[in-house]
Amino acid sequence: MAPFLAYEDKGPAAGAGSAAGEGSAAAEGYAALPLVLVHGHPFDHTMWAPQIAELSRTRRVIAPDLRGYGASPVVPGVTLLSDFAADVATLLDDLKVPEFALAGLSMGGQIVMDFYAQFPERVRALILADTFPRAETPEGVRTREAMAERLLAEGMTGYADEVLYKMVAPYAEPEVAAHVRKMMTATDPRGAAAALRGRAQRPDYSDLLTRVTVPTLVVVGRDDTFTPVSDAEAMHTALPNSTLSVIEGAAHLPNLERAGEFNGVLGAFLAELGL
């Protein structure tokens, strides 16, 4: 059984949902197709705060906390990307949201790919931000397993301090960097470790991308070193119907570092599709 996910649910005709996950509403009668936002590691749904605030003016926006993150329950052990995807599907079933545009960043983008592999009939458009489709390398498997052990032993603070200015650019606004660090240090190490172990076992989604039938937006920060522009360009080439947008002045989290530009690109993409 999927764990109960906390979530935020805002916008026209949305339920009374909140980060505590209370309330829902039927999908009928929405002015625009709902948008579902899947956060990355080791964050929570507030990673999407600028998008929730802006895009919920015209459409329903649903942003869950993945299991082990934010206010959602921790499930120690190994959490596969397919588990995360199934959890999101269960939440959307509970909210009676059959079809939607689906967005994910970093690990969230890989979860979105897995969701599309499992439930393609539910997805009307994809947004893949600062992510990549390849399976883990043997070295990467060892690195993720070692990091999982480290987080369980030491907690999140040391790791957060080490990677903060790779998650966001060194020139990021202080309040953005502070928000990102807060999310990372607030994450339960058991949830983070379970996700790292699951990502180490992920399949290769490269072939899946060539079979995606819905319009896809690929977004990346110009200065992202985790998932560089070359990864985004390769996905754009593989996808049959995609748009590529490179956000200047941002690293791995352009949705926070350059929220206005990111919102503009995402909003225009959805508007052009009539969604």
Side-chain angles (χ1 to χ4, degrees):
M1 180 179 295
F4 174 82
L5 297 186
Y7 63 95
E8 187 165 358
D9 181 7
K10 291 188 66 177
S18 68
E22 297 178 354
S24 64
E28 292 80 12
Y30 292 164
L33 191 75
L35 172 65
V36 179
L37 301 170
V38 183
H39 67 77
H41 164 89
F43 308 125
D44 58 50
H45 84 278
T46 66
M47 187 201 85
W48 296 109
Q51 289 69 54
I52 296 169
E54 176 65 25
L55 297 172
S56 66
R57 296 178 181 180
T58 56
R59 70 180 65 245
R60 186 179 188 181
V61 179
I62 301 165
D65 284 336
L66 299 171
R67 70 162 83 175
Y69 298 91
S72 289
V74 174
V75 183
V78 178
T79 303
L80 301 175
L81 297 185
S82 56
D83 297 328
F84 285 126
D87 290 349
V88 173
T90 297
L91 171 65
L92 296 171
D93 287 342
D94 291 344
L95 296 178
K96 299 182 173 61
V97 180
E99 295 183 333
F100 37 83
L102 183 61
L105 186 147
S106 192
M107 180 183 77
Q110 294 170 336
I111 293 168
V112 162
M113 294 180 226
D114 201 285
F115 190 105
Y116 187 84
Q118 294 188 61
F119 313 104
E121 72 285 351
R122 303 188 67 170
V123 180
R124 296 277 302 281
L126 287 174
I127 299 92
L128 300 173
D130 298 82
T131 191
F132 67 98
R134 299 181 302 279
E136 194 58 270
T137 64
E139 180 182 359
V141 170
R142 291 190 292 271
T143 298
R144 291 194 188 278
E145 291 287 349
M147 181 58 72
E149 290 298 324
R150 176 188 168 187
L151 296 183
L152 290 172
E154 300 178 7
M156 300 296 294
T157 301
Y159 166 75
D161 289 339
E162 288 175 12
V163 302
L164 176 59
Y165 287 107
K166 293 180 69 177
M167 293 293 188
V168 298
Y171 51 78
E173 294 294 334
E175 59 270 23
V176 171
H179 175 54
V180 172
R181 186 181 185 279
K182 181 179 179 181
M183 287 190 293
M184 289 195 288
T185 57
T187 295
D188 191 308
R190 296 172 300 165
L196 285 167
R197 289 173 170 149
R199 287 182 82 186
Q201 300 180 32
R202 70 180 182 273
D204 193 317
Y205 300 105
S206 299
D207 182 65
L208 172 71
L209 294 186
T210 68
R211 296 181 279 108
V212 170
T213 61
V214 298
T216 304
L217 173 64
V218 179
V219 189
V220 66
R222 172 69 72 184
D223 296 331
D224 191 345
T225 58
F226 285 123
T227 55
V229 172
S230 58
D231 285 347
E233 291 172 337
M235 290 194 299
H236 174 52
T237 299
L239 287 154
N241 179 13
S242 68
T243 301
L244 173 63
S245 181
V246 179
I247 305 294
E248 302 293 339
H252 194 54
L253 296 170
N255 68 302
L256 287 172
E257 297 172 85
R258 293 291 181 266
E261 291 89 334
F262 189 97
N263 289 348
V265 167
L266 178 52
F269 170 72
L270 296 172
E272 289 170 6
L273 297 176
L275 302 179

